[in-house]
Amino acid sequence: MEGNILKGHHGLLNLGEEGKQDIFGYKSSRCRSVLFVIGSVLTCGFLLLLFYWKPEWDVWAKCIQCTLQEADIILLRTTDEFKIWTKKKVMWIHLSLLRNPARADQQHSLLSDETSLLHRIIMKPDLKVRYIEIQKIRYIWDLQEKQFVRAEVLEDSHSCADIRYKFGSGLTTTEETIRRLIFGPNTIEIQIVPIWKLLCKEVLNPFYTFQIFSVCLWLSEDYIEYSVVLIIMSLISIAFSVYDVRQQSMKLYRLVESHNNMMVTVCRKDGAYEKVPSSELAPGDVFLVTGNKQILSCDAVLIHGGCIVNESMLTGESIPVTKTPLPSVAIPNCWKSSTGDYKRHILFCGTQVIQSKATCQGEVKAVVYRTGFTTTKGELVRSIMFPKPMDFKLYQDAFRFLVCLTVVATIGMIYSVCILVLNGVPAGKVVRKALDVITIAVSPALPAAVTIGIIYAQERLKKKGIFCISPQRINICGQLNLICFDKTGTLTEDGLDLWGLVSTKGKGLQNIFKFSNGDMLPWGPFFGAMASCHSLVLLDNTLQGDPLDLKMFETTRWELKENTMLKQQNEEAHSFIVKPGPGANKVSKEGIIVLKQYPFSPALQRMSVVTQVIGKEKLTVYLKGAPETVIHLCKPETVPRSFSTELQRYTKQGFRVIGFAFKSLWNGRDITVANLNREDVESDLVFLGLLILENKLKPQTIPVLSELSNARIRTVMITGDNLQTAVTVARNAGMIPLTHKIILIEASQTKESGPAVINWKLMENNKNGGQICPDETKIPMERFEKRNFHFVMTGKSYDILMQHFYHLLPKLLVSATVFARMSPNQKGSLIEEFQKLDYYVGMCGDGANDCGALKTAHAGISLSEQEASVASPFTSKIPNIDCVPHLIKEGRAALVSSFCIFKYMALYSLIQYVGVLCLYWEANTFGNYQFLFEDLAITTIIGITMSFNHAHPQLDSNRPPGQLISPPLLLSVILNVVFSLVLHVFGFIMVQQQPWYTHRDIYRACKPTNLTNDDVTTINKTTNAIATTLAKNEDSYRSYENTTVYLLSLFNCITTAIVFSKGKPYRKPIYTNYIFMIVLLAQVGTCLYFLFGEQDTLYNALDLVCTPRSWRVYLLVMVLVHFFVMMAIEEIIIENRCIRVFLKRCCKVKSTQRYKKMQRIIKKEPNWPPEDDTEYATFCIMDEETKNKEQRTLEVYSNKSYEHDKISKEAPNGIANSTSKQNEEEGCKKEGI
């Protein structure tokens, strides 16, 4: 329908961001709308229902194409594999407030600023704004760009000076009102949808619509009992669904309730202060940050003063974070790029201001940056309200399977019409019976069957302390084959213990100073750094902050005090004093004032402070951070020659190592600390030494990782810690076996325009204690198998690989195990790259900096109960990774249960379908009570209890199948259908061959002349009375064929349930499901009673007739033979892995998963992994079209680009190639580098 695109009709929304969508413009057509109304009336509303399910059809039918600028209806389509369509109406905002002549000056000031977004979105002279709202976010029409843009006033293009100049003094009341009208109120409103609306939405679901159709058809045939039962069951199901949705809405409502009911002091442009509800804040407003545990109601940029905030809502860690004001940088760059780690200036919505300190400039002030659902908390709530759909083939296959059943039902319907017409059945009855076939072949309960196992698994997970906000992901957990782990707090203990200290001495390092001896560190630069270089704060007379900082500071036995001394202009808002405590060594220093603090940044991997000893003029800078980062900021002559050796010595033992440095600023009186630039402060430092901390593995780590390894589930570590430490922890935890080799990948780019370089180094285990160090010699490939190696890399290398060696990345990822120094964004990106390789990825972290990765993974498991982890699909109260195998086991059990119940429900429908079609041959069918007993007493109870099996306690080395439409499952269904057909047809034909059979006299079989001596004694019937009853019942279905086929159908349903009730290896054996076993025994006993009981009342009610006992025994033998044959086929053929592997080899069937393809490619390459080598990326200029084409190629991981060719050659599309060291010079000449 979108083939012929009108110019300006199509655009892209959120270009370059997550959630990118295609957008199409349409204009309403009255003529088409009238035709639609006529069509809806003629189809009795079905067309209306169809267009409700398919909004794109609705728009295509009722609207005409037009440009986005002219459109009043917008059609959106996601760009992912789901291609979900959404219809939105274009809305208008009328800014009538600006029409007042008294406000002409304000109108001019608002619209004259050409750099402002307001100038580009307000239509003049109409003073209107055009917008659409998508998932609670407003997108406003940009008149210059001719596209819809996200409604944010403080664009990233503003410089620091722009923000201070334009917004620093606040807004007028009119400006604030206009901005609030355009960008919406500052509220995160969770609407509690009325119950009647939820009910209507549930009922209009295609599943329930089909149920309504089925019930109406059955009621027309007086099949009242089961119709009533189905209505009751559907109502219960709808009630539970509505209750669940309602509860989720209430939880979200309580989460954000306080957000919308705060009072904030706003600064107006005229200097006045006004207390307003937080809902009236608009981007550009300036408000006072008061502290005292104030909860922030918006995202804001701090412009005056400083704050200490608790960002547990954002990071999952209740650690105070220091916020500094936006610097007065007079450069044209956008404020985010000009301030380095810009997040240290942003106060995020939902975080708590623990403390605020004003500078000499007055109050602590912040400019509103984002409001409502565009804030950080708003995005968190949106991620819960609109979760990302998961691509799981089970649900796609279930739909395809339903389509196949519909085709089978159509064939049966045609057959029914032909047979019934030939038998002279009235037309009305023919239509009803033909439609009956559809409701029999496609059971209304079939789609719901998939979710039964999930419901039970969710309850079992709750009992184990694992909570789920997205139950559909439980099935996906059964397919997980790669688990990513954070290190600190996940694999290792949360707390750190100070183990020792190594300080510099001349050109080397001194012997280690161990804290375990109880000795106190003497006064010196290292002591000063430990006492002052931290981000601790004093709250309610209690020190709070990072555990590392707490341990380090407590070791000094000094005390932290508030700076109550007279503040100087060069002091920062959060300056504090540290003084010797009662237990500290006696020193001549009164204390240290921390004048300025540069907080720790994950991107920079360091923090620093500017200090001054009380009573002295000299200023001292102390810095601590990752040792590799610290030494690059130090004077080379101060870095010991043995630095690398010493660092590796401790990191290989799993210690966490922190580097320290300092420098003195002698002319402290002439320096204005507030104007110091971080880059200048953190340069030309003197290296002090290393602080060594011990971080032990959790007791559960090694057993769990071993269990996952035995189950052939790959494990990967993604951490922000040091690479050597991470590698050692991976070794000790068993992620990397001691016999396997480790290859370090170091990617770098010397110049911005120069080639990127990859170095491959072997990290070898030495005999003397297993020290890990880079081996510069050639990697001896003959010493280890090709599969027994692991790649390790840092976040910096990962970024360069993503940018310059993307074609190599898949080959590296299939063998990479440790990723160190990874930022939160890099973690999320890595998860996505694994998913592109067709891995089912799980992520387990403690919530700190892992939130993005937890949401991106197929199954994110947060070990934190903080608000930040709310968006994680799974949250565990078990504070260790023991929850991971529990979740996988339950996922596998739920997945197998879903398959079993789905197959059973499909087979039950087809068994009944076969039986009915056989009886249609004689213009007969099952009676209402026969249907009722089979549907309710047999199938429904089995469907409910079949999934009660608990998960198997051990993880199997093979995953359960993840597709319904797979050869083993299809073969199982087809063979069961074929043998069921044979059983029914054989019984149907054989009963007609019996000597006592007659078409008219249904009592002949049990007359004494036709019975054996054993049968005579059982006949005590009142034949005349029964005949009289039968004569009155014109709709009686009693016949020998009916009785035979019905009894075979009952037993077939029970035996099929037994055959499909899988136990090992993913669930406990069937006999442990006690309720199910009791149900089966009761049902078998009841059916045997039907077969041999000969109760007149029962037979009359169920439309059964008496047959000779020998025939009943014959039927039982047929059932047993069928059962044993199907059980043998299922166990010996369908479930036999050896046969499956043999057939795959014979047919040369190979996995189509991308990571499997990559492994096969790698296996054929003799030079992979590379020997000790260096590779370069070469570049050439390409046009935009070629670049986009190449990007699309890379996104699907073209196998051609995987090939690792050591010979340099130019890529046909101009993208980067890899060349070996010896060919680099020639390659550079070719490319003009």
Side-chain angles (χ1 to χ4, degrees), residues 324-469:
T324 57
L326 193 71
S328 303
V329 182
I331 54 177
N333 293 353
C334 69
W335 66 278
K336 285 187 176 181
S337 64
S338 61
T339 60
D341 186 13
Y342 68 91
K343 290 184 180 180
R344 72 174 185 264
H345 310 304
I346 298 181
L347 305 175
F348 292 103
C349 177
T351 58
Q352 186 183 61
V353 181
I354 302 171
Q355 207 174 71
S356 64
K357 286 190 176 181
T359 58
C360 58
Q361 298 176 355
E363 298 97 338
V364 181
K365 296 180 181 179
V367 177
V368 177
Y369 175 39
R370 290 183 293 232
T371 58
F373 280 97
T374 62
T375 62
T376 309
K377 185 170 184 176
E379 290 290 347
L380 177 67
V381 173
R382 286 179 67 244
S383 68
I384 301 170
M385 295 175 67
F386 311 104
K388 182 181 176 182
M390 298 304 298
D391 180 20
F392 193 42
K393 293 182 179 178
L394 171 63
Y395 308 115
Q396 297 176 11
D397 290 349
F399 177 76
R400 295 190 188 108
F401 200 84
L402 285 175
V403 172
C404 294
L405 288 180
T406 305
V407 172
V408 172
T410 305
I411 295 170
M413 188 171 65
I414 296 169
Y415 160 85
S416 303
V417 171
C418 297
I419 292 297
L420 294 174
V421 169
L422 290 174
N423 280 280
V425 178
K429 198 169 185 179
V430 169
V431 172
R432 290 201 306 271
K433 295 300 179 186
L435 292 174
D436 250 346
V437 173
I438 295 179
T439 62
I440 291 170
V442 186
S443 171
L446 193 58
V450 181
T451 62
I452 292 177
I454 298 174
I455 294 169
Y456 296 148
Q458 188 177 10
E459 289 301 315
R460 291 194 292 267
L461 285 172
K462 278 184 182 178
K463 292 177 182 177
K464 294 177 181 177
I466 303 170
F467 298 90
C468 175
I469 63 168

Side-chain angles (χ1 to χ4, degrees), residues 482 714 716 791 793 798 808-817 819 830 833-834 837 839 1197:
L482 187 151
R714 188 179 160 198
V716 170
F791 290 125
M793 68 183 79
Y798 173 76
L808 279 178
L809 190 63
K811 293 176 80 171
L812 300 174
L813 292 185
V814 294
S815 302
T817 302
F819 296 85
L830 179 61
E833 294 304 319
F834 276 128
L837 284 170
Y839 281 108
Y1197 284 146

Side-chain angles (χ1 to χ4, degrees), residues 40-337:
S40 300
V41 172
L42 293 176
T43 58
C44 301
F46 178 74
L47 192 61
L48 198 65
L49 188 63
L50 183 65
F51 284 177
Y52 171 78
W53 294 334
K54 289 284 189 179
E56 66 273 25
W57 293 2
D58 181 42
V59 174
W60 294 337
K62 294 159 61 178
C63 305
I64 56 175
Q65 285 188 9
C66 67
T67 63
L68 290 170
Q69 188 168 3
E70 300 170 324
D72 58 6
I73 297 293
I74 296 295
L75 193 60
L76 299 128
R77 182 184 63 194
T78 59
T79 55
D80 55 21
E81 64 272 25
F82 302 101
K83 305 294 181 187
I84 299 171
W85 294 88
T86 313
K87 172 187 171 184
K88 292 292 176 183
K89 187 177 180 179
V90 176
M91 293 177 282
W92 294 86
I93 301 171
H94 297 273
L95 305 178
S96 56
L97 187 67
L98 288 179
R99 294 188 182 277
N100 189 337
R103 305 181 190 272
D105 293 340
Q106 294 182 10
Q107 175 183 341
H108 177 74
S109 63
L110 274 172
L111 304 181
S112 60
D113 185 2
E114 296 185 1
T115 64
S116 170
L117 179 63
L118 295 178
H119 175 77
R120 305 200 310 266
I121 64 175
I122 299 177
M123 293 183 180
K124 296 168 280 288
D126 299 333
L127 299 180
K128 295 192 300 185
V129 176
R130 187 166 170 262
Y131 76 98
I132 54 176
E133 188 171 297
I134 304 167
Q135 295 183 349
K136 302 292 185 179
I137 298 293
R138 283 188 180 183
Y139 292 87
I140 299 177
W141 181 253
D142 190 320
L143 299 169
Q144 294 180 6
E145 299 292 332
K146 304 295 182 186
Q147 64 181 5
F148 285 98
V149 296
R150 195 169 168 133
E152 290 176 354
V153 129
L154 294 183
E155 301 120 309
D156 296 338
S157 58
H158 283 315
S159 66
C160 296
D162 287 339
I163 291 178
R164 286 183 172 275
Y165 173 73
K166 292 181 180 180
F167 307 108
S169 57
L171 304 174
T172 64
T173 306
T174 304
E175 288 174 335
E176 183 270 330
T177 304
I178 295 298
R179 292 173 189 273
R180 181 157 38 86
L181 281 172
I182 294 174
F183 302 106
N186 179 35
T187 56
I188 302 176
E189 291 186 3
I190 305 297
Q191 296 178 350
I192 306 298
V193 183
I195 293 176
W196 69 269
K197 281 190 177 181
L198 292 174
L199 286 171
C200 290
K201 188 175 180 181
E202 282 294 318
V203 170
L204 291 177
N205 185 290
F207 161 57
Y208 289 114
T209 305
F210 181 63
Q211 279 199 342
I212 293 170
F213 164 75
S214 302
V215 167
C216 292
L217 179 64
W218 293 338
L219 289 174
S220 70
E221 297 181 322
D222 295 329
Y223 187 30
I224 298 171
E225 293 83 356
Y226 187 64
S227 299
V228 172
V229 170
L230 188 61
I231 290 170
I232 293 171
M233 291 173 63
S234 298
L235 288 175
I236 293 171
S237 176
I238 290 172
F240 273 114
S241 180
V242 169
Y243 175 78
D244 189 47
V245 173
R246 184 87 172 180
Q247 287 296 104
Q248 289 287 346
S249 298
M250 292 299 292
K251 285 180 183 177
L252 275 178
Y253 179 79
R254 286 192 289 269
L255 179 68
V256 301
E257 185 179 14
S258 60
H259 173 276
N260 304 324
N261 301 311
M262 303 179 194
M263 297 301 292
V264 182
T265 303
V266 176
C267 310
R268 296 300 180 201
K269 189 168 278 188
D270 58 3
Y273 292 92
E274 184 181 353
K275 211 160 191 178
V276 299
S278 60
S279 59
E280 295 184 7
L281 287 177
D285 264 328
V286 175
F287 66 96
L288 298 182
V289 183
T290 58
N292 300 321
K293 298 186 178 180
Q294 174 189 5
I295 303 294
L296 292 163
S297 59
C298 61
D299 285 353
V301 180
L302 193 63
I303 56 172
H304 294 303
C307 294
I308 296 173
V309 298
N310 180 352
E311 291 188 344
S312 61
M313 187 284 298
L314 183 65
T315 64
E317 285 187 315
S318 298
I319 295 175
V321 179
T322 302
K323 298 292 182 176
T324 57
L326 193 71
S328 303
V329 182
I331 54 177
N333 293 353
C334 69
W335 66 278
K336 285 187 176 181
S337 64

Side-chain angles (χ1 to χ4, degrees), residues 939-958:
T939 307
T940 303
I941 297 176
I942 284 176
I944 293 172
T945 58
M946 182 186 274
S947 300
F948 281 169
N949 287 48
H950 286 230
H952 198 272
Q954 292 182 341
L955 277 175
D956 190 68
S957 58
N958 293 284

Side-chain angles (χ1 to χ4, degrees), residues 859-1024:
I861 313 163
S862 173
L863 304 184
S864 169
E865 296 182 53
Q866 296 289 344
E867 191 175 344
S869 63
V870 170
S872 176
F874 299 93
T875 305
S876 173
K877 285 191 174 180
I878 307 170
N880 56 66
I881 65 171
D882 202 31
C883 59
V884 174
H886 284 317
L887 184 59
I888 296 174
K889 290 170 190 174
E890 290 296 346
R892 290 183 173 187
L895 185 58
V896 171
S897 295
S898 295
F899 280 157
C900 290
I901 191 66
F902 195 93
K903 284 168 60 181
Y904 174 73
M905 295 298 288
L907 256 297
Y908 138 73
S909 298
L910 292 173
I911 288 168
Q912 208 173 68
Y913 170 81
V914 167
V916 168
L917 292 188
C918 285
L919 294 177
Y920 275 6
W921 187 264
E922 296 291 337
N924 199 348
T925 186
F926 292 149
N928 283 352
Y929 284 102
Q930 288 177 331
F931 275 124
L932 181 65
F933 182 81
E934 186 172 357
D935 291 342
L936 188 60
I938 300 294
T939 307
T940 303
I941 297 176
I942 284 176
I944 293 172
T945 58
M946 182 186 274
S947 300
F948 281 169
N949 287 48
H950 286 230
H952 198 272
Q954 292 182 341
L955 277 175
D956 190 68
S957 58
N958 293 284
R959 293 179 296 154
Q963 295 176 271
L964 271 175
I965 303 179
S966 62
L969 290 169
L970 282 179
L971 184 63
S972 174
V973 172
I974 291 170
L975 288 178
N976 270 279
V977 171
V978 169
F979 278 93
S980 295
L981 179 63
V982 170
L983 177 70
H984 286 76
V985 172
F986 184 74
F988 182 80
I989 295 173
M990 287 303 297
V991 73
Q992 294 177 339
Q993 306 302 317
Q994 300 306 308
W996 41 262
Y997 172 81
T998 178
H999 186 65
R1000 295 183 179 179
D1001 187 2
I1002 60 173
Y1003 304 104
R1004 181 184 176 191
C1006 290
K1007 287 179 181 178
T1009 55
N1010 294 319
L1011 299 177
T1012 62
N1013 292 332
D1014 293 334
D1015 291 332
V1016 172
T1017 57
T1018 64
I1019 304 304
N1020 292 311
K1021 301 183 181 295
T1022 55
T1023 306
N1024 293 332

Side-chain angles (χ1 to χ4, degrees), residues 1005-1197:
C1006 290
K1007 287 179 181 178
T1009 55
N1010 294 319
L1011 299 177
T1012 62
N1013 292 332
D1014 293 334
D1015 291 332
V1016 172
T1017 57
T1018 64
I1019 304 304
N1020 292 311
K1021 301 183 181 295
T1022 55
T1023 306
N1024 293 332
I1026 296 173
T1028 303
T1029 304
L1030 180 61
K1032 293 179 180 178
N1033 185 5
E1034 297 177 358
D1035 291 329
S1036 176
Y1037 303 103
R1038 301 179 74 180
S1039 70
Y1040 293 120
E1041 293 92 344
N1042 176 288
T1043 299
T1044 299
V1045 172
Y1046 180 67
L1047 290 173
L1048 289 175
S1049 180
L1050 287 182
F1051 280 108
N1052 198 358
C1053 285
I1054 298 172
T1055 56
T1056 301
I1058 298 171
V1059 170
F1060 284 165
S1061 293
K1062 296 288 184 298
K1064 287 184 179 182
Y1066 308 114
R1067 300 195 301 174
K1068 287 184 177 181
I1070 183 176
Y1071 56 79
T1072 62
N1073 188 348
Y1074 304 118
I1075 297 176
F1076 184 57
M1077 292 302 296
I1078 292 170
V1079 166
L1080 287 179
L1081 290 173
Q1083 290 177 341
V1084 170
T1086 303
C1087 291
L1088 287 174
Y1089 184 72
F1090 287 173
L1091 187 61
F1092 295 106
E1094 299 180 10
Q1095 285 291 324
D1096 299 339
T1097 307
L1098 180 65
Y1099 271 35
N1100 192 31
L1102 289 176
D1103 292 318
L1104 300 177
V1105 298
C1106 179
T1107 56
R1109 183 169 294 178
S1110 58
W1111 176 247
R1112 301 176 214 171
V1113 174
Y1114 190 64
L1115 289 180
L1116 185 59
V1117 171
M1118 289 169 60
V1119 169
L1120 290 174
V1121 170
H1122 173 268
F1123 169 68
F1124 287 118
V1125 169
M1126 290 316 304
M1127 183 64 80
I1129 290 173
E1130 194 75 18
E1131 294 299 325
I1132 297 174
I1133 298 177
I1134 305 296
E1135 295 297 322
N1136 193 313
R1137 288 177 183 165
C1138 296
I1139 292 178
R1140 265 187 280 170
V1141 172
F1142 174 75
L1143 289 174
K1144 282 183 179 179
R1145 287 178 180 173
C1146 291
C1147 301
K1148 296 183 179 180
V1149 176
K1150 295 181 180 179
S1151 173
T1152 58
Q1153 292 173 316
R1154 292 189 180 111
Y1155 74 92
K1156 291 280 189 183
K1157 289 180 180 179
M1158 184 53 51
Q1159 289 170 346
R1160 291 196 295 269
I1161 291 172
I1162 290 172
K1163 197 172 181 181
K1164 295 177 182 177
E1165 293 191 6
N1167 295 325
W1168 188 269
E1171 301 174 359
D1172 183 60
D1173 194 14
T1174 301
E1175 296 193 5
Y1176 296 83
T1178 59
F1179 303 89
C1180 66
I1181 299 172
M1182 57 180 132
D1183 56 56
E1184 190 66 27
E1185 183 179 352
T1186 306
K1187 186 175 181 181
N1188 292 337
K1189 183 178 179 182
E1190 178 63 26
Q1191 183 62 31
R1192 290 195 295 271
T1193 304
L1194 292 177
E1195 284 177 359
V1196 298
Y1197 284 146

